Each structure stands twice: as C-alpha cells, then as structure tokens.
C-alpha cells in the first residue's frame, strides 16, 4: 500500500512539474494549437509487434508553449464480434513537455488496450487495472543535417507485472533517423528491449523493431493532398515481418 501511494505521489509531482513548466513558458508564447486527424492502416504494429488487422486510428491533440496533451486511439473492424472478445480497442493519453530548443522532451503516457467489452476503464487499482502508465524521455540532436533522435520508455505502474505479481518496469529504447529522397520522406527506426519483459516476449536484451517508413502525398486538388505511407517492419526477436500501408485524413 505504501509503495502504491509513493507511485501515485510521483505521478502527481511529474504532472505538476509539466504544468508549471508549461505555465511559465506560456508567458513568453501564447500560441495555441490543435491536432485533429485520423489514420487508416492495413494492420496495426506496435514497437515491432503485431496487434491486429486493418484499423482506424484517430488523434486529438492540444499544444501550447511546449506543453502537449494528446489522445490517440485504435479500433479494428471486428467490433461486431466484441462478445467473443475479438475486437481490438486501444486508447492512449499522453502529456508531454518539450524544453525549448534543447531537443529534450519529457512525457507521461497512459496506455490502455484491454479491448472492446473490457469496460472498467477508470479502474486504477494496481493489481486490477488494465492500464499501463509509462514515462518517456526523448532527445533529438541539434544538428540540422543529422537529426537523430533517441528515446527511452519505462512502464512504472499498472498491468505490467512479472511472474511474482510485482511491477516489472518493462522498458523500450528507440533510435530514429529521418531523411528524404526527392518527394518521399523516409525514417529509419531501430528499437530494443534492454532486459526481460513479458510485454515484449523477451527474456533478455532483444532487438524488436527495425523499420523503414516512407511518406508522400497524392495531389487530389490544388488545395488538397492525401498523405500516404508504407511501413516495412522487421522484428528480429520474434522473427516476424510486416508491411503496412496507410493514409492520413486531416484538415
């Protein structure tokens, strides 16, 4: 019980730090922005692992002065089979703060992928909840011609338990390098799990996500273009390969 209280206190402190930092920054920058968009993908792959087939993935976001709050979801097309436990539904909420031009971003995310029909979304009891709370730290090199980014994510509360029922603190680290060739934006990803984690089906250090993503646009009219993308993903740990196609709808 004491440990749970300490975790809750830690989450509260982090949230307050994010809020205070955003409030201070907003005195110098009053810009407010919203994100409303949706992706349709041929299959949903998360950190190199297959989740479900064709899915629609909406995003609703708010950002101001370096602070952002984003709600992202994924729903497949098996909703009518919810009674059989076959419908995939995920809702992720992320609060993040980017520290000016330092390239450093701190985030706290609530990941929930219990699926349609699981209900009890607001159950946050440590041993019962279907939520995963995850802290993240990302950094992008301040080099225009070499914009390599690196990130580390650790689950610190919720459903991520080991065989003994204790918090496993499953972690995932990722490198990303964006570049472009003619009209195509490209991004190379390498993701690893540093130690044993049931979430990623690993018993030790493992490479789980090697990917190349290409993005371009199809011009529909003079004022509207449709962004499309293709994503080749290899999971060396599971010896699995995926090729995903999708497009994005946004204002």
């Amino acid at each position: 019980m004491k440990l749970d209280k300490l975790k809750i206190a830690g989450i509260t402190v982090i949230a307050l730090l994010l809020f205070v930092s955003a409030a201070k920054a907003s005195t110098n920058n009053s810009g407010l922005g919203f994100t409303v968009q949706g992706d349709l993908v041929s299959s949903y792959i998360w950190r190199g692992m297959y989740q479900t087939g064709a899915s629609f993935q909406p995003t609703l976001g708010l950002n101001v002065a370096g602070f952002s709050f984003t709600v992202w979801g994924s729903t497949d097309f098996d909703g009518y089979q919810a009674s059989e436990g076959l419908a995939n539904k995920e809702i992720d909420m992320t609060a993040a703060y980017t520290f000016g031009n330092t390239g450093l971003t701190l985030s706290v995310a609530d990941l929930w992928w219990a699926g349609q029909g699981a209900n009890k979304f607001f159950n946050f009891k440590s041993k019962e909840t279907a939520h995963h709370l995850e802290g993240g730290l990302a950094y992008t090199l301040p080099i225009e011609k070499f914009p390599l980014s690196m990130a580390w994510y650790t689950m610190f509360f919720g459903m991520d338990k080991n065989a003994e029922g204790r918090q496993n603190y499953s972690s995932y680290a990722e490198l990303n390098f964006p570049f472009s060739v003619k009209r195509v934006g490209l991004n190379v990803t390498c993701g690893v799990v540093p130690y044993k984690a049931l979430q990623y089906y690993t018993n030790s250090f493992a490479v789980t996500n090697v990917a190349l993503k290409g993005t371009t646009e199809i011009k529909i009219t003079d004022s509207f273009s449709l962004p499309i993308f293709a994503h080749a993903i290899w999971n060396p740990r599971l010896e699995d390969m995926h090729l995903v196609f999708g497009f994005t709808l946004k204002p």
Side-chain angles (χ1 to χ4, degrees):
M1 181 65 70
K2 290 183 178 180
L3 184 58
D4 288 343
K5 289 182 178 179
L6 287 174
K7 290 177 180 176
I8 293 172
I11 296 170
T12 302
V13 170
I14 292 173
L16 286 173
L17 287 174
L18 289 172
F19 177 80
V20 171
S21 297
K24 288 182 177 179
S26 64
T27 60
N28 300 319
N29 182 3
S30 58
L32 179 65
F34 293 91
T35 299
V36 180
Q37 69 177 53
D39 294 339
L40 182 65
V41 295
S42 57
S43 59
Y44 171 30
I45 314 298
W46 179 72
R47 296 178 181 176
M49 298 186 299
Y50 179 86
Q51 303 298 302
T52 189
S55 302
F56 189 70
Q57 301 175 333
T59 300
L60 180 63
L62 165 70
N63 62 83
V64 56
F67 176 81
S68 66
F69 181 75
T70 304
V71 181
W72 179 92
S74 180
T75 304
D76 65 12
F77 293 90
D78 289 325
Y80 67 95
Q81 301 184 55
S83 61
E84 301 176 29
L86 299 178
N88 178 280
K89 181 172 71 175
E90 177 175 347
I91 299 175
D92 300 341
M93 295 180 285
T94 303
Y97 183 70
T98 299
F99 295 85
N101 297 320
T102 64
L104 188 66
T105 298
L106 175 68
S107 64
V108 177
D110 175 11
L111 313 177
W112 183 90
W113 57 75
Q116 178 61 33
N119 300 327
K120 298 183 179 179
F121 181 84
F122 295 101
N123 182 353
F124 284 92
K125 295 180 181 179
S126 178
K127 295 183 179 181
E128 299 177 7
T129 185
H131 292 261
H132 304 70
L133 296 189
E134 181 180 74
L137 187 64
Y139 177 70
T140 301
L141 295 178
I143 305 173
E144 184 177 353
K145 294 184 178 181
F146 194 74
L148 177 70
S149 65
M150 54 203 78
W152 180 284
Y153 303 98
T154 296
M155 296 179 180
F156 59 89
F157 177 83
M159 195 176 179
D160 177 46
K161 300 291 194 296
N162 59 25
E164 291 74 36
R166 299 177 180 176
Q167 205 67 38
N168 190 70
Y169 299 101
S170 295
S171 295
Y172 172 81
E174 188 174 271
L175 295 175
N176 281 281
F177 184 76
F179 61 102
S180 62
V181 177
K182 295 185 177 179
R183 295 179 57 249
V184 179
L186 298 167
N187 187 84
V188 176
T189 299
C190 181
V192 303
V193 177
Y195 48 80
K196 181 177 180 179
L198 297 178
Q199 292 286 351
Y200 303 96
Y201 306 103
T202 64
N203 293 316
S204 60
F205 174 90
V207 179
T208 63
N209 187 17
V210 179
L212 174 64
K213 183 178 183 179
T215 304
T216 189
E217 293 184 345
I218 298 177
K219 186 175 181 179
I220 307 298
T221 68
D222 290 339
S223 59
F224 176 73
S225 295
L226 180 67
I228 63 172
F229 55 87
H231 209 172
I233 306 165
W234 175 41
N235 186 325
R237 167 66 183 87
L238 299 180
E239 299 183 27
D240 202 3
M241 187 76 185
H242 310 279
L243 186 60
V244 178
F245 175 80
F247 61 85
T248 301
L249 297 174
K250 61 181 179 180

